[in-house]
Amino acid sequence: MRKGSVKLGRINEEVYRALSDIIRGEVKDPRISPITSITGVEVTNDLKYAKVYVSVLGDEEALDKTMEGLKSSNGFIRGRLAKELNLRNTPELIFMADTSISYGMKMSKLIDELNNNSTEE
């Protein structure tokens, strides 16, 4: 498959949807924050690996605990994914922290502070 192929895009979307449902509804690890969201999935061309981008609303400690919980639940999640999707190979999941949302919120807060300081002067 080519890098930008339609089929690979559909597989990414299906893996994304299935992982969101599995993590939200079936994984019972107490380390995983209830406000965890999958922000993206990138499956390799050979369907062997999938990078799963995870965002957690909260502090750095909540993100670390959630990533630890997801990594320890990797086998269960991959098994449920295999049952959910009909793929030749079930990709090995590589969980990666996505801090772009928290970074955006931090930048927005800094901009608001600058705007408030400039209007006061």
Side-chain angles (χ1 to χ4, degrees):
M1 279 181 277
R2 292 187 318 250
K3 185 155 180 96
S5 73
V6 174
K7 183 178 179 183
L8 190 59
R10 278 187 277 147
I11 291 172
N12 285 338
E13 286 298 316
E14 285 299 311
V15 171
Y16 169 82
R17 183 194 54 75
L19 283 176
S20 295
D21 292 343
I22 292 167
I23 291 171
R24 186 178 335 105
E26 298 181 34
V27 178
K28 303 296 184 207
D29 194 319
R31 293 175 288 187
I32 298 175
S33 172
I35 309 173
T36 299
S37 61
I38 305 295
T39 57
V41 174
E42 293 177 2
V43 179
T44 58
N45 291 339
D46 59 359
L47 305 179
K48 297 280 186 191
Y49 300 96
K51 287 184 185 176
V52 181
Y53 296 96
V54 179
S55 178
V56 176
L57 188 61
D59 59 355
E60 200 65 33
E61 183 182 345
L63 178 63
D64 292 341
K65 284 184 177 181
T66 298
M67 295 305 289
E68 193 177 299
L70 287 172
K71 287 177 183 171
S72 70
S73 302
N74 196 344
F76 171 77
I77 295 170
R78 190 173 179 210
R80 293 295 300 135
L81 185 65
K83 289 180 182 176
E84 186 79 25
L85 301 178
N86 187 17
L87 294 174
R88 183 179 309 153
N89 296 320
T90 303
E92 185 176 323
L93 305 174
I94 302 167
F95 292 103
M96 303 182 77
D98 183 4
T99 57
S100 62
I101 294 173
S102 62
Y103 179 76
M105 289 173 53
K106 180 180 173 184
M107 286 294 131
S108 178
K109 183 179 175 184
L110 289 172
I111 291 170
D112 290 343
E113 287 176 6
L114 286 174
N115 285 336
N116 289 339
N117 288 341
S118 67
T119 57
E120 291 175 359
E121 294 175 0

